[in-house]
Amino acid sequence: MRELGCYVGREWVRPKGSTIEVRNPATNGDVIARVAQLGVADVDRAVGVAAEVSPGWAARSPWQRAEVLRKAADLLENRAARVAKDLMEENGKPLSEAQGEVAKSIVTFRYYAGLAAALDGRAFEGGAPQLRHETRKEPLGPVAAVTPWNVPAAGPARKLAPALLAGNTVLLKPATATPITAIHLVECLYEAGADPGVVQLLCGSGPVVGQPLCCDPRVRAVSFTGSTAVGLQLKNALGRSMTRLQLELGGKNAALVFSDADLGTASSHILGAAFASAGQQCTATSRVLAQREIYQPLLELLATRARSFVVGDPFDQATQMGPLIDEAGIRRVEGFIRRAVKEGARIMTGGQRIPRPGYFFEPTILSHVHPGMEISREEVFGPVLSVMDFGSVEQSVELLNATPYGLSCAVHTRDIRTAQFVAKNADCGIVVVNGPTAGIELPAPFGGFKLSGTGWKEHGPESLEFYTRTKLVSWGWS
Ligand code: NAD
């Protein structure tokens, strides 16, 4: 049995007392590793050291910090196959998805290493001849990064890389279900030459480790990715503080399909985004809004193709969809389907747990879904796609916006005016024209509106805004 440590203070600590059991969701929850479970005193020590070493890391030039990220990317690349295997075992993603996510994390380190110049301030003339101004982008200090289990590598990487490049120290709290991948990332950063204590890796439960970490007054910013329920709880807890808070939360993403769209291409994008990671993605397509004329043929096409989806062992090259994360995930999905059927929805295909070891569920398509039903508004976080119809472009946008979330949407049409109307009126942070709602590229700013997030963006140069503060220095007053 592998026993893995956390990084607290200036060193790796091996498991001593209680441990977290990491389980493989593709089996009957077999334990694959034990990881040290930390407590409040560890959090206190970690934050103290992160604050102590902050000035030293901030004093390194952005180019020196970029070099650490670049080396960490190379080290991660050397061990990519091992990391992908661990990710697959702790999360259940099929091989190609796990490999893709590790590759994206490597690219993330390299991408932010290449953005050192984006930390330059600007200099400009003042209103009088003797006046001159300049801005400086400064790090914030210790920042907390809290991540979910559904993106075990890319989730931590997209916080670690911009935060470290900008000169902050990072206290990373990965999800208890998937700490192994995060451990690999942190090991690579230290092997690459990060100063001792610059990254703290704190494994433990949300209430015991996450909450005290985020609420510690020495922590200057919190970047949280996870459920809307916990995000709102944190927002309340930090309400009276000046801690900067980035929330990247749930979604109820829709693909709008107009009658002039290529249904074959649209259905490929829809099914890919609906069932990748077994629907456990914040940007998963969970609603299809189909124009009345093509509602029936599209519904049948989606159901036929969903029936042939290969669900099974993540290690099998043929597998297109792996398991859900745990038994609670299965129950959650079953509950949503049961209530949807009670409200009038019909199961076109799927709807059942697959009778084999592990937490496997059939790709599911529901028809007769109407606005007002729970399934049309709330995030399921499983392989369930609801198909609804609309008449006009105005109605499509009304339906699109009729959820408390506002993360991502897709519009499938050949008419540029239709695409522009949707893009202008969609109340969500990401609009994709003739593509999937998920898989947004790294240089593109990522984040949602309404209950999907606070508006601070991840990805792209925009991410550096969250991790820096701008200081004005004015020269020339005598
Ligand atoms: P979760 O909210 O249960 O947990 C997320 C993280 O927060 C975990 O590390 C958890 O231990 C920690 N946590 C739990 N309670 C806490 C507390 N009181 N204080 C501080 N930390 C606490 O979410 P999850 O089930 O791990 O992830 C699934 C959710 O994440 C879905 O809703 C999904 O849409 C969302 N998500 C959003 C994005 C995005 O970028 N918008 C990306 C991935 C996942």
Side-chain angles (χ1 to χ4, degrees):
M1 175 64 56
R2 285 161 82 186
E3 298 234 316
L4 303 167
C6 295
Y7 192 101
V8 185
R10 291 180 175 79
E11 61 192 355
W12 288 96
V13 295
R14 309 303 306 170
K16 274 184 269 163
S18 58
T19 53
I20 296 164
E21 291 184 333
V22 185
R23 295 171 181 275
N24 182 346
T27 65
N28 271 335
D30 293 352
V31 178
I32 53 172
R34 289 202 170 82
V35 179
Q37 168 144 264
L38 303 182
V40 178
D42 301 301
V43 174
D44 182 60
R45 187 156 67 91
V47 178
V49 172
E52 259 170 56
V53 303
S54 254
W57 183 246
R60 290 230 218 170
S61 78
W63 301 96
Q64 291 171 321
R65 296 191 295 259
E67 201 44 38
V68 173
L69 290 179
R70 213 168 271 123
K71 279 188 193 147
D74 293 345
L75 291 163
L76 196 53
E77 196 163 47
N78 291 342
R79 62 163 88 173
R82 196 149 41 98
V83 182
K85 180 173 172 291
D86 281 338
L87 192 160
M88 203 170 23
E89 282 187 351
E90 65 180 352
N91 170 284
K93 287 187 195 204
L95 183 63
S96 60
E97 273 188 59
Q99 287 169 334
E101 194 184 324
V102 175
K104 191 169 183 181
S105 309
I106 296 163
V107 170
T108 303
F109 281 178
R110 292 203 175 117
Y111 174 80
Y112 282 102
L115 281 190
L119 293 167
D120 289 345
R122 65 190 179 97
F124 51 101
E125 301 302 325
Q130 74 274 22
L131 280 184
R132 195 171 161 72
H133 307 292
E134 68 175 61
T135 60
R136 291 165 186 242
K137 286 195 175 175
E138 297 181 341
L140 305 173
V143 300
V146 182
T147 53
W149 48 264
N150 71 319
V151 268
R158 70 167 81 126
K159 298 187 193 302
L160 284 165
L164 290 171
L165 178 78
N168 303 282
T169 51
V170 183
L171 299 119
L172 173 63
K173 208 304 269 165
T176 45
T178 56
I180 306 177
T181 316
I183 291 171
H184 281 296
L185 298 190
V186 175
E187 280 175 353
C188 289
L189 285 164
Y190 279 118
E191 283 169 33
D195 299 346
V198 155
V199 182
Q200 306 282 327
L201 179 64
L202 307 174
C203 300
S205 79
V208 174
V209 171
Q211 180 102 12
L213 168 65
C214 295
C215 296
D216 189 304
R218 295 166 292 180
V219 168
R220 308 300 293 273
V222 173
S223 176
F224 171 88
T225 301
S227 62
T228 295
V230 175
L232 288 175
Q233 203 178 314
L234 276 178
K235 193 165 186 290
N236 276 338
L238 291 173
R240 292 172 66 83
S241 78
M242 293 298 274
T243 307
R244 194 177 283 189
L245 179 62
Q246 176 178 51
L247 297 175
E248 301 289 347
L249 309 175
K252 187 70 196 174
N253 315 294
L256 283 58
V257 188
F258 287 84
S259 55
D260 64 346
D262 177 332
L263 297 194
T265 311
S267 62
S268 297
H269 289 313
I270 290 167
L271 294 171
F275 300 140
S277 298
Q280 304 167 114
Q281 289 193 93
C282 55
T283 48
T285 303
S286 63
R287 295 182 294 156
V288 172
L289 312 180
Q291 200 157 26
R292 214 147 283 146
E293 297 84 332
I294 48 98
Y295 172 81
Q296 201 58 35
L298 180 63
L299 178 63
E300 279 160 25
L301 181 60
L302 290 170
T304 305
R305 295 186 64 179
R307 275 182 212 112
S308 64
F309 238 73
V310 183
V311 184
D313 183 357
F315 278 92
D316 190 333
Q317 296 276 1
T319 294
Q320 291 173 286
M321 193 177 103
L324 298 184
I325 190 71
D326 55 19
E327 187 63 36
I330 291 270
R331 294 228 187 89
R332 186 182 152 84
V333 171
E334 283 174 341
F336 268 109
I337 293 174
R338 197 173 49 246
R339 292 189 295 277
V341 169
K342 213 168 159 193
E343 287 188 274
R346 287 194 206 153
I347 299 173
M348 289 293 293
T349 184
Q352 300 289 326
R353 179 182 197 150
I354 299 175
R356 56 173 286 169
Y359 311 113
F360 293 89
F361 205 89
E362 293 173 335
T364 301
I365 301 213
L366 302 177
S367 67
H368 294 77
V369 174
H370 300 291
M373 287 183 179
E374 178 198 49
I375 197 85
S376 75
R377 290 190 321 267
E378 297 301 331
E379 182 182 50
V380 176
F381 225 54
V384 182
L385 191 57
S386 299
V387 188
M388 306 164 76
D389 70 350
F390 67 83
S392 65
V393 61
E394 289 81 7
Q395 280 169 347
S396 76
V397 170
E398 207 175 298
L399 276 179
L400 167 67
N401 292 337
T403 85
Y405 299 99
L407 186 49
S408 175
C409 75
V411 47
H412 297 276
T413 179
R414 289 191 174 95
D415 185 340
I416 192 159
R417 284 163 308 174
T418 302
Q420 281 175 340
F421 184 87
V422 174
K424 186 169 177 206
N425 293 290
D427 203 0
C428 48
I430 300 163
V431 179
V432 181
V433 180
N434 293 324
T437 56
I440 308 304
E441 289 193 325
L442 182 63
F446 181 99
F449 301 159
K450 301 197 284 185
L451 283 189
S452 293
T454 43
W456 289 103
K457 299 294 178 185
E458 292 205 293
H459 287 188
E462 284 83 356
S463 182
L464 295 171
E465 295 302 318
F466 177 74
Y467 294 107
T468 52
R469 60 183 189 182
T470 300
K471 180 181 280 175
L472 171 69
V473 182
S474 285
W475 299 90
W477 295 100
S478 53

